[in-house]
């Protein structure tokens, strides 16, 4: 309910000053590395394929024609089009939007730092994420832990996410959450187990990178063979004190493979009975033109600021909370 009396910011001025300083530190970090800042549109006539992320829409008319615009959940597609056009390494610091439940760590509008490094793989990009955090924390050296997805499950659950049967995953999920016995999708079970058991246990003393995800969770990342010879996604996520901060890929450059993944997402959305939306096929066209070998990562600025300021709710680090609108 709209209340005109709630006009004051949800964050105090000291926190907003820290926010401004964080932005300045980030821009100095990338300027020193000759990474160009870009500014892509928040609105687009097309959107993402991911069946697990819902988007905010805006409806209007132009020349008598009804149009649906999508608020962007990430600048990824537009930034990759810039990369295909020859931009070189780039970053963006700005607002993104997701139609998800508002909560302690979630807002429908939030600030994302996303960057792409031409010539990097995901290992090199993990190094740079670590360097950025060290700069933000004003540390000469920061040692982040690195665990493979498989190692994390074995350490905290004694369960192998790659070889365990569906029934074993169902029982594990039920044991820890009381849900899962009826679930037939392996990735849904793995994500439930990870978020409930693994995520709260990792990155408590120092930030922790989880890497080498199952190929079914590759999203827009390359697939490669790990040291054990099993196929894994060249993807990582960063966790700190039980909170997911970043998600990065050694980016998929194959247009045909990307189209196949888009088609699989479309079918998944149909099977789930989700609302149809226009997918952004311009990314496929750009990939046909040629995406340079690169790695990219998205980092949640509001969540990072929550940790830096020791705040428990995202409202405390943004200027105006949407819950108070």
């Amino acid at each position: 309910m709209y209340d005109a009396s709630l006009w004051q910011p949800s964050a105090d001025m000291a926190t907003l000053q820290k926010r401004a300083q964080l932005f300045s530190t980030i821009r100095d970090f990338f300027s020193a590395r000759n990474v160009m800042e870009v500014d892509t549109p928040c609105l687009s006539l097309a959107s993402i394929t991911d069946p697990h992320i819902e988007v905010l829409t805006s409806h209007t008319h132009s020349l008598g024609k009804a149009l649906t615009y999508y608020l962007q959940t990430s600048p990824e597609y537009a930034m990759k089009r810039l990369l295909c056009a020859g931009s070189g390494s780039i970053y963006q610091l700005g607002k993104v939007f997701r139609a998800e439940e508002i909560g302690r760590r979630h807002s429908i509008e939030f600030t994302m730092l996303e960057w792409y490094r031409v010539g990097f793989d995901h290992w090199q990009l993990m190094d740079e994420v670590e360097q950025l955090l060290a700069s933000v924390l004003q540390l000469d050296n920061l040692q982040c832990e690195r665990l493979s997805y498989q190692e994390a499950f074995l350490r905290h659950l004694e369960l192998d996410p790659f070889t365990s049967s569906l029934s074993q995953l169902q029982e594990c999920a039920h044991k820890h959450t009381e849900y899962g016995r009826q679930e037939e999708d392996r990735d849904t079970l793995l994500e439930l187990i990870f978020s409930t058991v693994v995520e709260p246990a990792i990155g408590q003393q120092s930030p922790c990178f989880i890497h080498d995800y199952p190929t079914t969770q590759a999203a827009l990342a390359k697939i490669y063979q790990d040291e054990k010879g099993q196929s894994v996604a060249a993807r990582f996520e960063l966790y700190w004190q039980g909170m997911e901060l970043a998600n990065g890929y050694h980016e998929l450059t194959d247009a045909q493979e990307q189209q196949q993944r888009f088609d699989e997402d479309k079918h998944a959305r149909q099977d789930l009975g989700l609302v149809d939306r226009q997918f952004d096929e311009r990314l496929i066209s750009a990939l046909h033109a040629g995406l340079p070998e690169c790695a990219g990562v998205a980092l949640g600025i509001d969540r990072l600021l929550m940790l830096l300021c020791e705040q428990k709710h995202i409202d405390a680090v943004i200027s105006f909370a949407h819950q108070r609108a």
Side-chain angles (χ1 to χ4, degrees), residues 53-57 73 97-102 107-108 110:
I53 298 177
E54 285 306 311
V55 303
L56 296 172
T57 59
T73 60
F97 309 85
R98 297 188 183 182
E100 58 186 20
E101 185 175 348
I102 295 172
S107 177
I108 58 172
F110 57 100

Side-chain angles (χ1 to χ4, degrees), residues 21-22 24-26 28-30 33 128-142:
Q21 181 57 53
L22 176 59
S24 179
T25 299
I26 289 169
D28 288 346
F29 179 88
F30 287 114
R33 286 160 176 76
E128 188 162 76
V129 172
E130 192 172 79
Q131 291 160 12
L132 174 62
L133 287 180
S135 180
V136 167
L137 296 168
Q138 298 182 333
L139 297 174
D140 292 333
N141 189 33
L142 175 66

Side-chain angles (χ1 to χ4, degrees), residues 162 212-216 222-234:
F162 292 95
D212 291 355
Y213 281 71
T215 58
T216 50
K222 289 179 180 289
I223 304 297
Y224 78 108
Q225 302 291 312
D226 69 8
E227 58 186 16
K228 298 177 182 178
Q230 61 189 359
S231 293
V232 294

Side-chain angles (χ1 to χ4, degrees), residues 6-19:
L6 299 176
W7 62 268
Q8 294 189 8
S10 51
D12 61 36
M13 289 303 159
T15 300
L16 294 179
Q17 288 173 352
K18 290 181 180 179
R19 186 181 184 91

